[in-house]
Structures are given as structure tokens and as C-alpha cells.
Amino acid sequence: MRSVAVVAIRVARKPYWERPGSRWVVRRWPDLTACLAATFFFWLSLTPSLVPRPWYYQGAIGGITAAIGYGLGALLSWLFRVVSPWRPSQRVRARAWLGYLVLLPFAVAIMLGQSADMQRELRRLQALPPTLTWHSLMITAISLVMLALLLVVARSVRLGTRLLTQLLSRFVPWPVAVALGLALSTTVVVIGTRDVVWDRGILEVADRIAAAKDRSTDPGVMRPFSPLLSGSPDSLIAWEDLGNKGRTFTGTAISGEEISGFTGEDAMDPVRAYVGRASYDDYADGAELAVRELERTGAFDRAVLAVTGTTGTGWVNPTTVEALEFMHGGDTAVVTMQYSYLPSWASFMVDRNEAGLATEALFDAVYARWEQEPEGDRPRLLVFGESLAVAAIESAFDDLDDLIARTDGALLIGPPDFSPIHSALRDSRDAGSPIWRPEYDRGRHVRFAQFPERDLLRPDGQPWDTPRVVYLQNASDPVVWWSPDLLFKRPEWLNEPLGPDVTGSIDWFPFVTFWQTTVDMAVSYTSPAPHGHRYGSGPVDAWAAIAPPEGWTATDTDRLGWLLEVRHPPRRGWAG
């Protein structure tokens, strides 16, 4: 007992470590100012964001954010030492460290308890059960491990730079050695991170996994034999060239018999044309092949012809397609062209522009062929897309006026922040309308909705001309609001009034909100529709407003919405 007491007294007098000699690689104990900043940033990371977070994601965010805080605190401490000769005495330093170490566990416990309460409030707003598994000890452990790893990497870089500078100083003056050492180490870190870790590591692994997935066929998907579907024996596109999502798109197409079961009337088998990435060399060839496939299936004789973009993997939301097909008794044709097989996050990083180029080529080719039809006999020409496909669709048009002039309507779901037309409409919205539910030109052609049954009626009493453009965007959808600007700029979507499913506990903090929203995108499917990045049967209401068939009623909309919710229940993970 006495020895324990002696050790405790010794630690209390000096609760930090100093290196015994100059040859030690570890130069100093962590800086107290940096630790305080790391603790503060860790607390900020516990604040809620747009969607509820699992505890393991919270641990990762906490570690990354704490490391950012540590780095900023260490920088401030270094600057103070440079400009001020004052240094705290050993007694003051010991008491400061002792107070920090004693209070830290209690502070972290309080922070995690408050964070769990805020997460429960967010879950309530987004129609999730209030119960929450919030492993405080595991969150702390993951955050500490992540922080330690990042600090080890940073200190290793600093140590390597110092050793390189010492080596260079043998041949050049010290100031030159310092400059060269910093330049060389920065180059190595940047190239190593970009070329080795990112390009040859993360992206290459993602590419191999995605390529293998693209060659596979999902369970239950069978090759179609209807000549109206791509991949069939009559098709110009081979089944093997459709890719995974293309095979699902045509291999699960609904039949006229299924549509009749809903409508109670005779129905046609819908046309679905899909041009897989393996079936063409350049986008012009792919677009030309798509037009020939449409001609082969008689798509230009249908009542509705819809052009859609795809997400990175080539995915098209079946709810959006089937809503149009059921609504119009199968007298429809839908065409799209795959430009990539990478998941959307990877496609966003490496070939985001390719999505726009491919979709522009497709729409222009279809539009040119559509114009050749007699003006009175042309099908309704619609466009739609979801998530990354929204930006792709919008890239096919110069602006809103061009979109309205060359289509009979558009449905755009979960538009990313960089979608060009959406961004322009949002920035030019009518005064007084919030950014999460903007009104543009008094809703004359464009309307935004999270709850379509009531949002599409706004502005109250204002006429809604045709063609109509509907944006489905949830106030809590991180895909809609994620932007690099979040690093240093407070976003407008945090201004009052907040969206209906955004908690009042949310706030913006430099760096922190960016990482939180980045992780939110990965878990944006955890909330039910219409929250996060889930839109459920919202496309039914939207199509009923954009291009309803004659005699369509609100009761029909409700029945079809229920049917599609049953046909396509929410799945875990990222759909596209």
C-alpha cells in the first residue's frame, strides 16, 4: 500500500513524461493545449447531424475530429511558444495536467450521455423507435484508437522530415535544408496518399469489387424472352453485356398481366431498353444503339417515352419506373445507358463528368429521333433520375428553360448539391422560402417536395403550368446537402426555420459538420421514407402531378403507392 501511495504522489506531482535524452525518438509528451482542443472537437463530433448515426460510425467521426482538434491545438501552442518567452512552471504544468486527467472521464461521460439524448430526439423526428444502442465505452475506445493512429502517422511524418533535413544539412546550408526537407516530405505524403493509398489502394479495390459485381446476376433475376426488353433473344444488346444492374432492370420487368391486376383493364407489356457499358465503345455509339433498340421495340409508338440516367453502378430505382408503367397501363417505354459500374461514391470521385456526357448523348439522340415523329403522334417525352443520375440528367440541358422546352416533364429525386439546374433554382428561389423547400417563380413550372401530397400544392392558389418539373428532396437528405464548402462555411440549410425532420440541436462547426455529413451519406438509408435518402412511394405522387393519364384519381395514387411499398420494401444498405 505504501508503495502505491508513493507512486500516486509521484504521479500527482508530475503527471506527464519527459524524454530522458536527446536520442529518444519520441520527443515530448502530448501538448496539453492540443489535448484540450482534441477534447473540445470530440465533444463537437457528438452533436447530431442530419440522420441518426450508429455508435461505431460515431467512434470513427470522434477520432477523426479529435485528431483535427489536436492538430489545431498543437499549432496554436507552437505559435505561442514562438512569440512568447513565458513558460509555465513545473508545478503549474503538473496541476493543469492533473486537473485535465481527473476531469476528463467525467466530462466524456456527460458528453456521451447528452449525445445519446440528442440522437433519440433525431430518431423521433424521423419516425424511428426511440430505443438506441449507444455503446459509450466502445465509442470512446474507437475514437482513442483512431486518434492515436492519426497522431502516430503525423509524428512519423514529422520525424521523417526532421531526419531528412539533418541529412540534407550536411550538403547545403541549414535554411536550404529545411526548405528542401519540407518540400520533399510534402511531395512524398501527397503522392503517397493520392497515388498509392487512394488510386492504387482504395479505388483499385473498389474497381475490382464493382467489376466482379457487374459480371454477376442477382438471385431471382432471369433473362427475359419478351422482345420488348433489352437482353432478350431479339434484343440488339446481349444479356451478358447489360451488366448487373441492367440485367436486374430488364429481368424483373413487370408484365401487362400484372398491370391489369392493378388497373382492372387490359394493359400492354412495357418497353425497357438498357444499353450496358460493355455493349458500346463511345457514348455516341451507345446512344445510337439505344435509339435503334427503341425503334426495334416500337417505343416511339407508345404513349410515354422516358429517358433516365443511372447511378454509378447503373442502377435505376424500380419504384420510379413501375409507378409510370402501372399508371399508364404499360403503354410506356423507358431507356437508359450505363456509363460505369463503380459505386456512386467512387464514380463521383473519378468519372462524375462521364455521367453527364453519357446522359447528354443519350437524350440528344432520343430527342432527335423523337422529333422525327409526326407532331400529333409523338409520345410524351419525360426524363427522370435519382441521386447522381439527377446531375447526369440536368447536364443534358442548358438550363430550366431548355429542360421545359425539350421535355413534357421531369422527376428528379435526391439531387446532389452539384446538380447544375437544381443549384441555380435553389440560389434564385423566391424570397422567404427556405432552401430545404424552395419555391421558384411561384411554382409555375417547378415544385419541390418531401411530402408530395401537400408540398406539391404549394404555393397555395398558384397555377401550375405544363410541362411540370418535380424535385423530391428531403430536408434530412445528406446527399442533397453534402459539399466541400461545409469545411469552412455555414450552410443555408441550418438557418431557421429548420426542416421538419432536422433536430434543433444541430449546428455548424468548421471541419466537424463536413465529416458528420460525409458519414451521414453512408448511413442515409437507415431512416424510413421520406427521411434521409429514402423517397419510398413519393414518385407515384410526383408522376401523378407531372404526367397523369386521363381519369387518374387521388384514390388511384394512394392504391399504387401502397402496392409499390409492398413490392419494394426498404432494404438495408445503399441501393445504387
Side-chain angles (χ1 to χ4, degrees), residues 469-491:
V469 178
V470 170
Y471 282 95
L472 296 182
Q473 65 171 48
N474 298 335
S476 58
D477 188 350
V479 174
V480 175
W481 307 121
W482 183 91
S483 167
D485 293 343
L486 289 172
L487 280 166
F488 305 109
K489 183 180 178 182
R490 179 185 176 86

Side-chain angles (χ1 to χ4, degrees), residues 269-293:
D269 290 333
V271 171
R272 291 192 184 183
Y274 192 102
V275 179
R277 186 65 187 90
S279 59
Y280 66 91
D281 293 324
D282 58 48
Y283 298 140
D285 290 338
E288 188 269 337
L289 179 60
V291 169
R292 288 196 288 121
E293 182 78 345

Side-chain angles (χ1 to χ4, degrees), residues 156-442:
S156 298
V157 171
R158 186 177 67 183
L159 175 62
T161 303
R162 189 173 76 248
L163 294 176
L164 179 60
T165 301
Q166 292 173 351
L167 177 62
L168 292 171
S169 66
R170 299 177 183 178
F171 309 100
V172 295
W174 178 253
V176 177
V178 171
L180 288 174
L182 288 173
L184 289 173
S185 63
T186 301
T187 301
V188 170
V189 169
V190 170
I191 292 178
T193 302
R194 184 193 63 192
D195 294 354
V196 179
V197 177
W198 182 251
D199 290 348
R200 300 183 184 179
I202 296 174
L203 285 182
E204 186 169 328
V205 170
D207 181 81
R208 291 180 180 179
I209 294 174
K213 174 68 174 177
D214 195 55
R215 291 191 294 269
S216 69
T217 302
D218 289 343
V221 175
M222 303 292 291
R223 184 185 184 186
F225 285 89
S226 167
L228 302 177
L229 302 172
S230 293
S232 66
D234 299 290
S235 174
L236 302 178
I237 298 103
W239 173 250
E240 295 76 16
D241 291 340
L242 288 179
N244 175 272
K245 301 303 181 184
R247 285 188 284 273
T248 299
F249 180 72
T250 63
T252 59
I254 58 177
S255 65
E257 185 178 354
E258 290 175 280
I259 296 172
S260 293
F262 169 77
T263 62
E265 301 176 357
D266 291 340
M268 304 173 66
D269 290 333
V271 171
R272 291 192 184 183
Y274 192 102
V275 179
R277 186 65 187 90
S279 59
Y280 66 91
D281 293 324
D282 58 48
Y283 298 140
D285 290 338
E288 188 269 337
L289 179 60
V291 169
R292 288 196 288 121
E293 182 78 345
L294 289 175
E295 290 175 330
R296 181 191 67 78
T297 58
F300 294 98
D301 296 325
R302 296 292 174 123
V304 174
L305 172 59
V307 180
T308 181
T310 71
T311 62
T313 58
W315 177 78
V316 178
N317 190 340
T319 297
T320 310
V321 177
E322 291 181 10
L324 198 62
E325 293 170 338
F326 274 108
M327 193 174 291
H328 289 274
D331 195 7
T332 60
V334 179
V335 60
T336 191
M337 184 167 74
Q338 182 189 23
Y339 66 89
S340 174
Y341 52 72
L342 291 173
S344 290
W345 65 266
S347 183
F348 168 79
M349 297 299 298
V350 301
D351 57 10
R352 184 175 71 183
N353 292 334
E354 300 303 307
L357 294 173
T359 309
E360 180 180 7
L362 173 63
F363 179 81
D364 286 348
V366 173
Y367 181 76
R369 174 60 183 81
W370 173 82
E371 280 195 308
Q372 296 176 15
E373 296 293 312
E375 189 168 347
D377 294 331
R378 294 171 183 168
R380 287 188 187 179
L381 182 59
L382 307 175
V383 294
F384 68 93
E386 182 166 338
S387 196
L388 190 59
V390 174
I393 284 290
E394 290 188 353
S395 296
F397 303 94
D398 296 332
D399 50 26
L400 175 64
D401 291 338
D402 187 35
L403 173 62
I404 292 173
R406 296 203 289 159
T407 71
D408 295 306
L411 172 55
L412 305 167
I413 305 171
D417 178 79
F418 55 84
S419 304
I421 297 177
H422 173 263
S423 298
L425 297 178
R426 183 186 64 196
D427 294 342
S428 303
R429 67 187 183 276
D430 296 343
S433 62
I435 193 170
W436 46 267
R437 193 74 69 249
E439 294 175 3
Y440 179 81
D441 192 22
R442 302 296 294 163

Side-chain angles (χ1 to χ4, degrees), residues 51-74:
V51 292
R53 293 192 295 270
W55 59 268
Y56 41 88
Y57 278 109
Q58 177 56 61
I61 290 177
I64 294 172
T65 308
I68 294 172
Y70 187 94
L72 293 174

Side-chain angles (χ1 to χ4, degrees), residues 101-160:
L101 295 174
V102 169
L103 294 175
L104 181 62
F106 299 99
V108 170
I110 293 172
M111 294 174 194
L112 289 168
Q114 291 178 336
S115 178
D117 290 340
M118 290 185 285
Q119 289 289 322
R120 292 188 185 96
E121 169 65 13
L122 184 58
R123 291 173 66 86
R124 184 188 66 79
L125 288 172
Q126 299 188 7
L128 287 166
T131 55
L132 173 68
T133 302
W134 203 243
H135 294 296
S136 298
L137 289 178
M138 290 303 298
I139 290 173
T140 305
I142 294 173
S143 297
L144 286 173
V145 170
M146 182 71 71
L147 172 62
L149 288 174
L150 293 173
L151 290 182
V152 167
V153 171
R155 289 199 168 194
S156 298
V157 171
R158 186 177 67 183
L159 175 62

